[in-house]
Each structure stands twice: as structure tokens, then as C-alpha cells.
Amino acid sequence: MKITHLKGYDKKLEIEFYNFFISSKPYDLDHIRSPHLRRQKIETLFATYCKTSEVYTVEEDSKLKVAAFLLKSGDYLDLTFIFGVSKNFGSLKLMAATRNILDYAMLTLGKNYVKSQIRRKYKVQSYKKWIERYDKKLIIFNDDDNTVVWCNRDIMTIKFKVVGANKTTAHLMGKDLLLRGTKKIKHGLLREFSDGEDTYLLDEKGIDFLSKAVIIYGHLSDNKQNVGNISLEFIPNK
């Protein structure tokens, strides 16, 4: 396996980028009826990503596996676009290659973690299920952007520290909570947490990205129907 940090235009990558857009439809370009204009739009997107991003590729046996376009944003990386070549590699290999690219980019660019958002409009829920199935070290948040944060270990083992509370949740201040699962509700999902004794449900309301940590804001309820405001901090690469 070979990881490359591209420094200029790559024709082979542009062709794979175009083929991915046609087959996977990550963005809604169906309103562009002319094949020629659609190709121009895709080529413009590729040129823009190459110009504004750090571009990394993973190859195996001279075949492209995954390509990632990353923006440097403070002390973390923002993954602008990523795609894999599924005709040559299975899901497990593509997800492992993705992790290799992100780890390598963080190391070489000196960043603390990687975040992104799911920008695709076509088969979004299927895509979310796919990445959650094959990568247990990421979190997809319940916000309008479908924000994703990659961690360095299984999210079920990550400690979420209570760093903000109101009167109802003050007894949890400073405690570490562990994620135990999710529950689907009408407007999204609730995350189930435990402090080792009791279980709680978090309804996410916002996210902040700090230098080394991520802060989640929301409403936390317990099994006694008490609901209060809370802020949870976790460090993706601790």
C-alpha cells in the first residue's frame, strides 16, 4: 500500500473522480441535463478541491483505493471530500485505507483530529449506515450537517467528560460518561450514556470544535424524567 501527498494536477485521479461522481452521485447534479455541462461542473469541482485542499491518495498494486481532500482548519483537519474505488476493493479495505490516509495526514500536517460533514444528497441514510458499519471509531452527530468526527479508538470506550451543567445536572459535573448506544426518535436520535450507576439520554443541540477536543451541547434526561442542560467534552485522539 502506498500513500501519496499530491502536490499538483493528476490526470488519473481526475478520471477516477469523474467516474465516482457519475456512479455514486454524491452531489445532486441531475438538474444539469447536458452531459457536457455536467462534466464541466465535475471537472471544476475537482480543480477547486485540488487548489484549496491537501490531497492524499492510497494505492495498492498501482490501483487507486481512496482519495481524500483535506482543509487545514486551526489545530484539526476538515475533510472536504473523500471517495473510494469500490470496483477494485471491498468495503473493509476501503475503510481501512481511509483510516490510514487520515492518520497519515494528521501526522504529517501536525493536526489533532479530523472532522467533516456528509455533504451528499443521494442515499444519505444508506451512506451513514455503511460508514458506521465499517468504522467503529467515528461519531456521526445529529445536526443539520451530519457532522462526523474520527477518533483513535472505538467510540464505546471514549470518555465524555461533563464540563457544563445547570441545576438539574449539576451532580454530574466533572464525571466521565460512557456511550452505550443510540435510540431513534422522530426528529433524529438520542444517545444513551452511563456513569456506571445510572443511564441518561442526550438530545444533541450543538457542537463546538476546539484545539484538541469536541464539545457537545444538549438536553440530558434520566430515568426519573428529570431534564437539564449539559455540555460534554471528548478528545478524539486521546
Side-chain angles (χ1 to χ4, degrees):
M1 185 179 68
K2 177 184 177 184
I3 299 178
T4 304
H5 184 186
L6 297 179
K7 299 298 184 180
Y9 171 76
D10 188 293
K11 182 63 178 179
K12 178 182 175 182
L13 180 60
E14 183 180 35
I15 293 171
E16 294 289 2
F17 184 90
Y18 176 81
N19 290 339
F20 177 80
F21 258 82
I22 296 302
S23 63
S24 185
K25 300 180 180 179
Y27 296 168
D28 184 9
L29 301 180
D30 288 344
H31 64 285
I32 305 176
R33 296 187 177 183
S34 166
H36 175 69
L37 293 178
R38 191 179 300 127
R39 174 179 283 277
Q40 281 190 331
K41 177 64 176 179
I42 295 171
E43 289 174 349
T44 299
L45 282 170
F46 178 76
T48 300
Y49 288 155
C50 289
K51 183 178 179 180
T52 60
S53 308
E54 302 290 336
V55 184
Y56 289 84
T57 62
V58 174
E59 291 181 314
E60 185 173 316
D61 298 328
S62 299
K63 295 179 180 179
L64 179 68
K65 250 185 176 181
V66 174
F69 302 79
L70 294 138
L71 287 175
K72 292 184 283 187
S73 180
D75 292 314
Y76 58 84
L77 292 171
D78 198 326
L79 181 60
T80 302
F81 193 82
I82 188 167
F83 73 95
V85 184
S86 57
K87 67 180 180 181
N88 295 328
F89 304 98
S91 295
L92 283 173
K93 286 193 172 184
L94 291 178
M95 200 59 75
T98 296
R99 175 65 62 171
N100 289 333
I101 277 187
L102 300 184
D103 287 345
Y104 183 79
M106 282 190 290
L107 178 64
T108 57
L109 297 175
K111 303 300 180 181
N112 294 321
Y113 62 93
V114 179
K115 65 172 281 287
S116 185
Q117 69 183 73
I118 298 175
R119 297 176 174 87
R120 70 161 45 239
K121 305 299 180 184
Y122 181 67
K123 294 186 176 180
V124 177
Q125 294 306 316
S126 297
Y127 180 70
K128 289 167 69 173
K129 289 179 181 178
W130 180 76
I131 59 177
E132 286 182 321
R133 177 182 179 184
Y134 290 104
D135 192 339
K136 304 301 183 183
K137 298 179 181 180
L138 58 77
I139 300 176
I140 303 176
F141 290 98
N142 188 36
D143 62 347
D144 292 339
D145 292 332
N146 287 312
T147 302
V148 182
V149 173
W150 280 264
C151 306
N152 68 346
R153 54 197 174 102
D154 192 310
I155 61 170
M156 304 299 280
T157 67
I158 291 175
K159 294 180 180 179
F160 292 75
K161 186 174 183 178
V162 179
V163 295
N166 63 1
K167 184 177 180 180
T168 305
T169 55
H171 64 289
L172 294 172
M173 193 67 184
K175 282 191 173 183
D176 290 327
L177 305 182
L178 289 175
L179 183 63
R180 292 307 183 204
T182 58
K183 292 186 177 181
K184 290 185 177 180
I185 56 176
K186 186 176 181 179
H187 71 273
L189 59 82
L190 299 175
R191 295 192 193 279
E192 185 175 342
F193 288 91
S194 172
D195 64 356
E197 297 178 359
D198 299 310
T199 58
Y200 305 89
L201 292 175
L202 175 70
D203 187 2
E204 298 168 12
K205 297 300 180 183
I207 316 165
D208 274 349
F209 299 98
L210 307 181
S211 174
K212 294 183 179 180
V214 178
I215 306 290
I216 312 170
Y217 305 95
H219 299 153
L220 195 75
S221 60
D222 60 18
N223 53 14
K224 299 176 183 178
Q225 297 186 333
N226 297 310
V227 181
N229 296 331
I230 201 157
S231 300
L232 301 176
E233 176 191 79
F234 76 97
I235 301 174
N237 283 321
K238 185 174 181 179

